[in-house]
Amino acid sequence: SYVLTQPPSVSVAPGKTARITCGGNNIGSKSVHWYQQKPGQAPVLVIYYDSDRPSGIPERFSGSNSGNTATLTISRVEAGDEADYYCQVWDRSSDHPGVFGTGTKVTVL
Amino acid sequence: EVQLVESGGGLVQPGGSLRLSCAASGVTFSSHAMSWVRQAPGKGLEWVSGISGNGGSTYDADSLKGRFTISRDNSKSTLYLQMNSLRVEDTAVYYCAKDGGSGPSWFFDLWGRGTLVTVSS
């Protein structure tokens, strides 16, 4: 089945930029979605179709996808952005089509 | 209010069965594919199963080996997950999640709060 690899952790100072990568074989040919999950809460969609933002998500959140890497970028990081982040794709050709990345813990210093 | 509410979790012995439910409100339930996603304690998200809006197509994680069955009753705006032959490793919070597209797009824009399933003797 398709594998998505994320760094376990990313640390960033307030006001700086955090970049979270999601690696997968030719992931640029797939649509990538991103979720934020805070402790004890359900995940929240922050980016869909590589770079679209749902209503209510700050413009500070952006996404890109090319080649073997998709990236979630959080600009002007705030303390409230501290959370786990997961990428996700739907691999239609697989017998396990729903795939989440391994998750990245973002720590705001 | 737009929401999904899961129920049916609890403690079950290995080899036992449970049926989870997810009641939707404030959404046109039959228009959206739905999925179950689980999260073991301290672990990441794992997609479990998905179903199209009319229930005609279902998709499962290969790791489940046919033990889980997803279904829906659009007249009741309710999603189900029948779980059989449960194993200790099935212990997790189970979330239901609504598809974010107008047709099956298989990303999830609305999540329930989850229901905890504990498999232990």
Side-chain angles (χ1 to χ4, degrees):
Chain A
S1 58
Y2 195 73
V3 176
L4 296 174
T5 302
Q6 300 179 233
S9 62
V10 168
S11 298
V12 58
K16 301 299 186 182
T17 297
R19 293 181 179 84
I20 305 161
T21 57
C22 175
N25 184 35
N26 197 25
I27 194 173
S29 67
K30 305 182 186 300
S31 293
V32 180
H33 320 293
W34 291 91
Y35 304 86
Q36 175 194 69
Q37 186 181 34
K38 296 181 178 180
Q41 297 184 19
V44 172
L45 179 71
V46 294
I47 292 288
Y48 63 102
Y49 289 145
D50 297 341
S51 59
D52 290 342
R53 269 179 296 103
S55 59
I57 300 301
E59 293 183 6
R60 301 184 297 102
F61 288 82
S62 62
S64 62
N65 183 21
S66 179
N68 292 317
T69 304
T71 303
L72 173 68
T73 301
I74 310 173
S75 304
R76 302 181 299 283
V77 166
E78 302 175 355
D81 299 330
E82 185 162 291
D84 294 325
Y85 291 83
Y86 296 90
C87 56
Q88 179 249 322
V89 302
W90 185 261
D91 183 18
R92 296 181 181 278
S93 64
S94 172
D95 56 359
H96 186 140
V99 183
F100 283 94
T102 49
T104 298
K105 169 66 175 179
V106 170
T107 299
V108 181
L109 301 171
Chain B
E1 181 183 3
V2 176
Q3 63 176 355
L4 302 173
V5 179
E6 302 94 337
S7 60
L11 176 64
V12 61
Q13 293 188 337
S17 298
L18 274 180
R19 188 176 84 154
L20 306 183
S21 299
C22 170
S25 57
V27 299
T28 308
F29 184 71
S30 60
S31 295
H32 299 282
M34 298 290 294
S35 284
W36 288 98
V37 177
R38 69 183 181 182
Q39 187 169 36
K43 302 298 184 181
L45 300 175
E46 179 185 16
W47 177 84
V48 171
S49 190
I51 188 168
S52 61
N54 64 9
S57 299
T58 61
Y59 308 86
D60 300 303
D62 57 0
S63 58
L64 296 181
K65 298 189 191 310
R67 297 184 297 119
F68 291 7
T69 302
I70 191 172
S71 63
R72 65 192 298 161
D73 185 338
N74 286 344
S75 69
K76 296 181 178 179
S77 296
T78 301
L79 176 73
Y80 302 101
L81 185 68
Q82 177 67 43
M83 304 186 295
N84 299 328
S85 303
L86 282 162
R87 305 169 180 171
V88 171
E89 55 265 34
D90 294 319
T91 295
V93 173
Y94 285 73
Y95 296 101
C96 68
K98 169 188 159 292
D99 192 272
S102 55
S105 303
W106 303 113
F107 66 92
F108 315 116
D109 69 344
L110 179 67
W111 296 65
R113 297 181 67 177
T115 187
L116 176 63
V117 172
T118 303
V119 184
S120 175
S121 55

